[in-house]
Structure formats: structure tokens, C-alpha cells
């Protein structure tokens, strides 16, 4: 029988990848984005309250000396209120994220030692 010939594996080392040249996570301009989102949150909350108040209508009918009060719900206004409030909550979460990314910094020595 003949012995199988095995070759030694050669390990090719790849050069270290350079960090991306794009912007880092810490950018002070994120404060401006967060401020704009807070303004949008306030406007959307106001819109939700206004639409909700238009969507609920109280009707009063005088019958035999007392009033019969009925409530009518308009789905289009209530749906718009719910949608605007949902969008406001999503923007609030993103505003918190923007503030955290604007504040978070890593010292240069710690950033260099991780690589």
C-alpha cells in the first residue's frame, strides 16, 4: 500500500481592515435632529387631541322633560388621532436615541486600544 501524501496548510494573513472613513456615531449635530423631533412630537400630540375631540360628538335629545344624551364616534377622526399619537411615540423613541448618540463619547485611548 502507498501512503497518502499530505501537505502542510499555509496560513495567509490578511492585512488589518482600516476603520471606515465615514462619520462616527458621536455627532453633535444629532442634538438638532432631536430638537426637531421634539417639536414634531408636540405638534403630533396636539393634532391627536384635536382629532379626538372632533371624533367624539355628544348629541342631546329632549324627550318628556329630560334629555337623552347620545354619543357618536367618527372613525376617521379617531383613526387619525391614534395614527398621529403612534407616530409621536416612535419619534420620541428616536429622539431619545439621538440624544444618547449625541452624548456618548469614547476617550481616544479606549477607542484605539479596541482595535
Amino acid at each position: 500500500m502507498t501512503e497518502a501524501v499530505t501537505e502542510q496548510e499555509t496560513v495567509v494573513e490578511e492585512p488589518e481592515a482600516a476603520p471606515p472613513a465615514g462619520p462616527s456615531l458621536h455627532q453633535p449635530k444629532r442634538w438638532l435632529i432631536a430638537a426637531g423631533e421634539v417639536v414634531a412630537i408636540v405638534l403630533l400630540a396636539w393634532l391627536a387631541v384635536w382629532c379626538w375631540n372632533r371624533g367624539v360628538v355628544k348629541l342631546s335629545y329632549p324627550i318628556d322633560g329630560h334629555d337623552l344624551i347620545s354619543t357618536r364616534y367618527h372613525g376617521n377622526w379617531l383613526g387619525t388621532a391614534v395614527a398621529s399619537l403612534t407616530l409621536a411615540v416612535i419619534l420620541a423613541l428616536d429622539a431619545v436615541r439621538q440624544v444618547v448618540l449625541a452624548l456618548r463619547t469614547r476617550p481616544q485611548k479606549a477607542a484605539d486600544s479596541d482595535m
Side-chain angles (χ1 to χ4, degrees):
M1 292 193 114
T2 60
E3 185 178 328
V5 179
T6 58
E7 296 180 19
Q8 290 184 349
E9 294 181 17
T10 57
V11 177
V12 178
E13 293 184 23
E14 297 181 16
E16 290 185 27
S24 65
L25 290 177
H26 172 66
Q27 297 175 359
K29 69 178 179 180
R30 291 182 185 267
W31 280 105
L32 297 174
I33 296 170
E37 287 178 343
V38 168
V39 170
I41 290 166
V42 170
L43 291 175
L44 284 169
W46 175 83
L47 179 67
V49 170
W50 183 75
C51 288
W52 190 270
N53 288 333
R54 289 190 54 116
V56 179
V57 178
K58 300 274 187 189
L59 302 170
S60 177
Y61 302 104
I63 296 177
D64 297 330
H66 61 280
D67 290 338
L68 176 65
I69 298 176
S70 177
T71 304
R72 183 173 180 193
Y73 297 102
H74 297 278
N76 57 343
W77 290 109
L78 298 180
T80 303
V82 170
S84 66
L85 197 58
T86 302
L87 185 58
V89 168
I90 292 171
L91 283 177
L93 290 174
D94 189 58
V96 169
R97 177 184 155 270
Q98 294 290 347
V99 168
V100 167
L101 289 175
L103 289 175
R104 180 181 295 174
T105 59
R106 292 174 51 187
Q108 189 63 30
K109 291 179 184 176
D112 290 339
S113 66
D114 287 345
M115 291 185 191

